[in-house]
Amino acid sequence: MAPEASSAAGRGPRGDLGLGGRHVLLPRGSLTFSGPRELLVNRTIAGAYETDGSLAPDTVRRVSGGAFTLDSVPRRLASQEVVRVYEEEAVWGGPLATPERRYQTPYGHFMVESVARLWPVLPDAELHGLPVVFVRPQRPPHAAEWLDAFGAPLVDLPEGGAVLFKRLFVPEPAWQEAAWIAPEVRDIHLHARRGMDVPRVSRRGVLWLSRSGLAPTRIPLGEDRLESSLDGRLSAVRPYTMTLAEQVAALEGASAVAGVVGSAFHTLLLTAETPDCLYLCPPWD
């Protein structure tokens, strides 16, 4: 299902996000969804199951071009009591919280993966107004702020047992790691942006996204010295200390953004107009 990965680089006109790395850009409108169909869901498992207990593979987050399914998702659902039958139509959102991997943060996963299936519930889209089913539904502050701004109703899952959804739609993700990106991922975030109360900030020059307060294991050798040498030349902010709305305001008020590549740059997906960017990449990127 995944198109073959290829290399692309660059960015579009001001206000557009460019494409780089191993992803290909899908044509707008090429994403599909399946359903409605019967699926079993447990709030602690990052996938849904057919009524015979087998894993529904299109519900699982995948990595490495779609070839590897997370080991934390059992291939079969252990015998569980069905504690609720949900008769109404709903849309599969997938896991809100994903297992941490080295050099990755829950924030980055949330911005590019957790919400990537929401394109069919956008205004004027075919499934608009239907509730969304998220599993592993921890809601750290950034996730709660984003979901409140997006505004879609969410299905509250019970703590134990399984829920049988009688009419569950399963959309393809608009962002598939190491495989594809669809323009709809931008639509998803811009809709959330319209629901945010973004503060007004004064215009500034180049903004440096500082990581100086993060754990040393997440900072390349010499990054602190580089940042100190820029003191007074650039306006530095620490995104991890700010709300999402404050981050968006800071980015939209900058003439350009620079920093060592990381999850803080994912907030650009929320900006109504994206500034020019300079990414400094450690050798493993």
Side-chain angles (χ1 to χ4, degrees):
M1 183 171 65
E4 204 158 303
S6 65
S7 178
R11 68 185 300 277
R14 185 171 174 85
D16 293 337
L17 292 176
L19 183 66
R22 294 171 291 169
H23 294 82
V24 295
L25 183 64
L26 295 184
R28 178 176 290 280
S30 61
L31 295 171
T32 62
F33 56 81
S34 69
R37 63 196 224 241
E38 291 190 353
L39 288 172
L40 289 163
V41 175
N42 178 294
R43 67 178 281 137
T44 65
I45 302 176
Y49 292 82
E50 308 290 351
T51 53
D52 66 358
S54 61
L55 179 65
D58 59 339
T59 67
V60 180
R61 185 180 73 97
R62 294 175 179 268
V63 295
S64 300
F68 176 66
T69 301
L70 289 179
D71 285 338
S72 60
V73 182
R75 300 303 188 271
R76 294 195 62 83
L77 182 66
S79 179
Q80 295 192 48
E81 179 187 2
V82 174
V83 296
R84 183 189 302 172
V85 177
Y86 196 94
E87 300 281 356
E88 295 79 13
E89 292 181 339
V91 178
W92 174 253
L96 267 186
T98 56
E100 282 194 62
R101 289 179 290 158
R102 195 179 182 193
Y103 306 125
Q104 294 185 330
T105 67
Y107 177 80
H109 282 299
F110 176 84
M111 294 294 288
V112 300
E113 293 181 286
S114 292
V115 300
R117 297 182 190 263
L118 297 184
W119 54 271
V121 300
L122 290 169
D124 300 324
E126 192 169 349
L127 305 181
H128 176 65
L130 294 185
V132 178
V133 181
F134 283 116
V135 290
R136 309 180 80 174
Q138 296 92 332
R139 292 183 60 175
H142 62 263
E145 185 179 357
W146 194 100
L147 291 168
D148 288 345
F150 189 84
L154 305 180
V155 177
D156 185 27
L157 297 174
E159 292 289 342
V163 176
L164 174 61
F165 285 87
K166 302 290 285 187
R167 299 177 59 81
L168 189 61
F169 293 93
V170 180
E172 286 185 293
W175 183 304
Q176 174 65 70
E177 183 180 346
W180 72 77
I181 299 173
E184 285 83 354
V185 75
R186 205 37 187 134
D187 301 338
I188 291 167
H189 283 285
L190 287 178
H191 177 68
R193 164 66 178 84
R194 286 188 284 271
M196 286 185 177
D197 185 13
V198 177
R200 291 184 174 273
V201 298
S202 57
R203 297 288 296 180
R204 63 176 81 185
V206 180
L207 192 68
W208 177 263
L209 301 183
S210 171
R211 308 197 305 174
S212 59
L214 296 177
T217 55
R218 301 188 60 84
I219 300 178
L221 182 65
E223 183 177 342
D224 54 345
R225 291 191 296 251
L226 169 63
E227 186 172 322
S228 65
S229 71
L230 298 172
D231 186 36
R233 295 177 173 86
L234 305 178
S235 298
V237 296
R238 294 182 177 181
Y240 53 88
T241 67
M242 307 163 72
T243 67
L244 270 183
E246 290 169 345
Q247 291 183 58
V248 171
L251 292 170
E252 291 181 345
S255 61
V257 177
V260 177
V261 67
S263 294
F265 283 93
H266 294 333
T267 312
L268 289 165
L269 288 164
L270 280 168
T271 57
E273 184 174 289
T274 59
D276 293 322
C277 296
L278 172 64
Y279 298 85
L280 302 178
C281 297
W284 57 77
D285 283 323

